Amino acid sequence: MGNSFQVQDRFADGAQYIGGRLRPGTSGRSHDVVNPATGKTVYTYELAGTADVDAAVAAARAAFPGWSGATPAERSEAMHRFAAVLAEQADDFAYAESLQCGKPVKLSTEFDVPGTVDNTSFFAGAARHLEGKSAAEYDGDHTSYVRREAIGVIGSIAPWNYPLQMAAWKVLPAIAAGNTIVLKPAEITPLTSLMFAQAATEAGIPDGVINIVTGAGKDAGEHLVGHPDVVMTSFTGSTAVGKRVAEIATSTVKRLHLELGGKAPFLVFDDADLEAAVNGAVAGSLINTGQDCTAATRAYVQRPLYDAFVQGVAELMETVRVGDPFATDTDLGPLISHAQRDRVAGFVERARAYATVVTGGEAPGGELSDGAYYRPTLVAGAAQDSEIVQSEIFGPVLVVLPFDTDDEGIALANDTPYGLAASAWSRDLYRANRATREIKAGCVWVNDHIPIISEMPHGGYKASGFGKDMSSYSFEEYTQVKHVMYDNTAVARKDWHRTIFGDR
């Protein structure tokens, strides 16, 4: 894939998209977007300050009456046009996503971009299906029904691992329901969020409905979450930062949606298809270079299959091609930054004191030495309470542990603070069904790991947060439920009035 546009030229007017146009930030501080495959700067811009957040919220607030007052059909038609614009610009989106994240272009082309187009199409349809309960006379004297209404200006914060998809997951259900939004992408990966907002404008979505402020979390992010005109916050990121977001949001009585960290178990029973489990473990642990909160990170394998599984995963990991994200035969790109690469390497180096690094465990040298690369890594022999088993690594590292009984395997799978995703591998329907019931996670796959679809919800249990992205469940979170009740008696003096004054 060639360079279809020059980033510095494309965003020469700045990295803040407010009221339908790009503008520079006013924080007085600049920031570099770095290609993690080369370590070279691809874009420099001025970060957002609190004044930019205020301007974006004001633009969203001004746009709210018109957008929320549009008919569901009008919003739906605009979002269908939005999906078409995104599809037309698919190559540019894939290029920009791989440039700023280091994703292999086959991943951004076949997963990130089409997934975002599909999400947009889904919510374009969902905009026409916002329903409450049918009218009924529950007490005999009144007719009640439920309205679902837009709630106002949403302030959302998205992470750096899937910048385009996370922008879509935040924006689409919010605007389909008639809200307006201010989104803060990660300052290291703003490009596709800005392009997403520009595409919405091209599709005819009114100015101010979607606004982007690109700034640091301590400045722009905290000001956005605490802003008095923001009625709901949706945050995706680490559990530690999520706790801070929750503190600010609850202090201003905002609705809150948190999608936080994960440490997904990959539970292999002794009757599983070994070849399928090995392939699934490598794919599920290495997607997006392991920078995925649903990635397979802890493989628990029943003892009869354990040795063969370890051998099979190690051998398959060694065939994974690490290289230039824009080469079509590259399987694994760099991590998002050298700092993240060093963080991942630190987990593995500390684990050498108590576990075995079966394969990987190093950064490649040679022509890849300038990038933030790290080889696919398999670690065995770690204890369940060790750091590498319990903590979110967010890199291409899979830890494998044995178990004996089904009870033990399920208990180990649940033995972390997290509960975002999991998978169970078995040919036995009853065994797999038990795992889906008893594993505490927002998504449990059976004989696969990772696929997501627009129609189904994504969100976690426990320290992985609460609330859902995608699906009609997500859509409902961005609405206010209102009970409307009509008197049907036309009687001035109601019988219940006697509880306040007079007698029957």
Side-chain angles (χ1 to χ4, degrees):
M1 178 178 291
N3 186 339
S4 54
F5 60 85
Q6 294 295 323
V7 175
Q8 200 71 44
D9 293 340
R10 173 73 177 259
F11 303 110
D13 292 332
Q16 319 305 324
Y17 195 77
I18 299 172
R21 67 181 182 87
L22 289 170
R23 53 191 269 184
T26 61
S27 70
R29 293 182 292 119
S30 63
H31 188 82
D32 294 334
V33 176
V34 175
N35 178 352
T38 63
K40 294 180 180 178
T41 296
V42 297
Y43 179 54
T44 301
Y45 67 95
E46 297 298 315
L47 288 164
T50 56
D52 303 302
V53 174
D54 290 341
V57 172
R61 189 177 180 186
F64 178 74
W67 183 247
S68 62
T71 67
E74 289 168 337
R75 288 198 296 270
S76 177
E77 288 168 7
M79 292 183 69
H80 277 300
R81 293 194 300 269
F82 187 12
V85 172
L86 293 171
E88 290 167 3
Q89 299 177 8
D91 286 348
D92 282 355
F93 274 98
Y95 170 79
E97 195 77 334
S98 289
L99 184 69
Q100 66 182 353
C101 298
K103 294 175 187 283
V105 72
K106 67 178 180 179
L107 180 66
S108 56
T109 300
E110 298 178 27
F111 184 77
D112 298 70
V113 175
T116 300
V117 174
D118 185 71
N119 261 254
T120 308
S121 295
F122 173 82
F123 281 108
R128 301 187 74 157
H129 295 280
L130 193 59
E131 298 174 348
K133 281 189 177 180
S134 299
E137 290 70 46
Y138 294 97
D139 70 352
D141 291 336
H142 301 82
T143 298
S144 288
Y145 69 89
V146 169
R147 288 176 57 87
R148 283 193 174 273
E149 298 177 349
I151 58 178
V153 177
I154 313 299
S156 294
I157 299 175
W160 48 256
N161 57 333
Y162 289 102
L164 176 60
Q165 285 197 309
M166 294 298 99
W169 286 15
K170 302 301 183 195
V171 168
L172 295 172
I175 67 169
N179 302 289
T180 56
I181 189 167
V182 178
L183 173 73
K184 192 198 89 65
E187 59 268 35
I188 60 176
T189 55
L191 303 182
T192 48
S193 297
L194 294 167
M195 294 168 63
F196 190 70
Q198 288 177 313
T201 299
E202 290 180 42
I205 292 176
D207 294 348
V209 172
I210 303 172
N211 305 275
I212 310 293
V213 289
T214 310
K218 283 288 185 183
D219 302 322
E222 293 197 0
H223 190 63
L224 177 61
V225 173
H227 199 288
D229 290 334
V230 169
V231 297
M232 174 181 170
T233 290
S234 178
F235 170 80
T236 297
S238 72
T239 297
V241 177
K243 291 177 180 178
R244 175 60 180 158
V245 169
E247 289 174 2
I248 299 170
T250 53
S251 70
T252 53
V253 199
K254 285 178 172 49
R255 190 177 298 196
L256 183 61
H257 167 213
L258 298 174
E259 198 266 272
L260 307 176
K263 190 71 178 175
F266 187 98
L267 187 60
V268 183
F269 294 103
D270 58 14
D271 67 331
D273 181 325
L274 179 63
E275 182 183 7
V278 166
N279 280 275
V282 173
S285 64
L286 299 185
I287 185 171
N288 203 36
T289 318
Q291 299 167 126
D292 186 314
C293 48
T294 64
T297 59
R298 299 178 290 137
Y300 296 102
V301 183
Q302 208 150 23
R303 209 169 292 274
L305 293 185
Y306 178 79
D307 289 340
F309 180 88
V310 171
Q311 180 181 348
V313 168
E315 290 175 353
L316 187 54
M317 277 187 170
E318 288 165 5
T319 70
V320 171
R321 298 164 296 185
V322 180
D324 176 6
F326 291 102
T328 57
D329 61 352
T330 290
D331 299 318
L332 195 78
L335 288 135
I336 191 67
S337 67
H338 287 81
Q340 179 66 12
R341 191 270 310 276
D342 294 344
R343 179 180 178 278
V344 170
F347 277 101
V348 176
E349 290 309 306
R350 291 189 295 274
R352 292 183 191 276
Y354 54 80
T356 300
V357 178
V358 181
T359 189
E362 63 182 3
E367 61 184 13
L368 300 180
S369 58
D370 290 337
Y373 290 93
Y374 198 74
R375 292 196 185 282
T377 300
L378 179 65
V379 176
Q384 174 66 13
D385 63 355
S386 62
E387 176 194 52
I388 204 163
V389 174
Q390 292 293 324
S391 298
E392 187 174 31
I393 300 170
F394 229 55
V397 179
L398 177 64
V399 183
V400 58
L401 298 87
F403 70 92
D404 292 303
T405 67
D406 289 15
D407 288 350
E408 180 190 9
I410 291 173
L412 289 169
N414 283 328
D415 185 28
T416 70
Y418 301 106
L420 186 58
S423 62
W425 298 73
S426 173
R427 290 185 174 96
D428 186 319
L429 173 64
Y430 298 99
R431 216 174 195 182
N433 198 29
R434 179 193 175 191
T436 65
R437 290 195 312 271
E438 296 186 14
I439 293 175
K440 304 303 181 187
C443 175
V444 181
W445 293 283
V446 176
N447 295 328
D448 207 343
H449 195 110
I450 285 297
I452 54 175
I453 50 175
S454 296
E455 291 82 358
M456 288 290 111
H458 175 89
Y461 286 33
K462 303 188 292 186
S464 292
F466 49 83
K468 300 299 179 184
D469 288 312
M470 300 193 297
S471 81
S472 61
Y473 297 98
S474 167
F475 191 36
E476 291 174 358
E477 292 190 19
Y478 290 90
T479 63
Q480 187 69 265
V481 174
K482 177 187 287 185
H483 171 215
V484 178
M485 178 179 269
Y486 285 92
D487 170 59
N488 293 327
T489 66
V491 174
R493 180 74 177 263
K494 307 292 194 292
D495 184 56
W496 72 266
H497 291 177
R498 66 187 173 82
T499 64
I500 312 301
F501 57 88
D503 301 315
R504 186 185 293 273

